[in-house]
């Protein structure tokens, strides 16, 4: 599995994207239909997580948190620069190489 610019869970990303005075309400209103923190711990196959330090849509720390929680026997965290989900466009050859090695 390859994840790029992924969020940890819906409540957390909602709170991140909500202005400060209303952050608490975002967590109360939004439901967690997809909880990446739980799901990543169940994934036992090769895993590559790509996250940009410059990502303003989904914070960098969320990608790192998912990586820390992962139990995959073969996992890698690739820290990049650039906009949200621009990893392939900005680093095509490296991107393809990493995905290929993941599948070996």
């Amino acid at each position: 599995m390859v994840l790029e610019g992924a969020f940890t869970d819906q409540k957390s990303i909602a709170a991140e994207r909500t202005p400060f005075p209303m952050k608490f309400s975002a967590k109360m209103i939004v439901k967690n239909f997809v909880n990446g923190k739980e799901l990543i711990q169940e994934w036992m196959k090769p895993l590559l997580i790509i996250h940009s330090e410059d990502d303003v849509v989904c914070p960098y720390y969320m990608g790192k948190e998912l990586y820390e929680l992962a139990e995959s026997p073969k996992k890698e965290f690739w820290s990049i620069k650039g906009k949200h989900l621009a990893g392939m466009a900005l680093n095509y050859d490296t991107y393809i190489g990493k995905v290929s090695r993941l599948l070996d």
Side-chain angles (χ1 to χ4, degrees), residues 25-62:
S25 65
K27 285 195 171 192
M28 290 176 17
I29 295 169
V30 173
K31 300 210 182 317
N32 255 347
F33 293 111
V34 177
N35 189 329
K37 291 189 281 190
E38 291 176 3
L39 294 171
I40 200 76
Q41 293 176 61
E42 298 171 13
W43 185 259
M44 296 299 160
K45 296 180 182 170
L47 172 67
L48 170 61
I49 297 178
I50 305 164
H51 213 107
S52 173
E53 295 174 25
D54 305 324
D55 196 330
V56 296
V57 175
C58 186
Y60 181 75
Y61 81 84
M62 288 189 175

Side-chain angles (χ1 to χ4, degrees), residues 9-32:
D9 60 84
Q10 289 169 308
K11 287 180 178 278
S12 296
I13 194 65
E16 280 291 332
R17 305 297 297 157
T18 303
F20 176 72
M22 300 302 291
K23 283 189 184 297
F24 74 94
S25 65
K27 285 195 171 192
M28 290 176 17
I29 295 169
V30 173
K31 300 210 182 317
N32 255 347

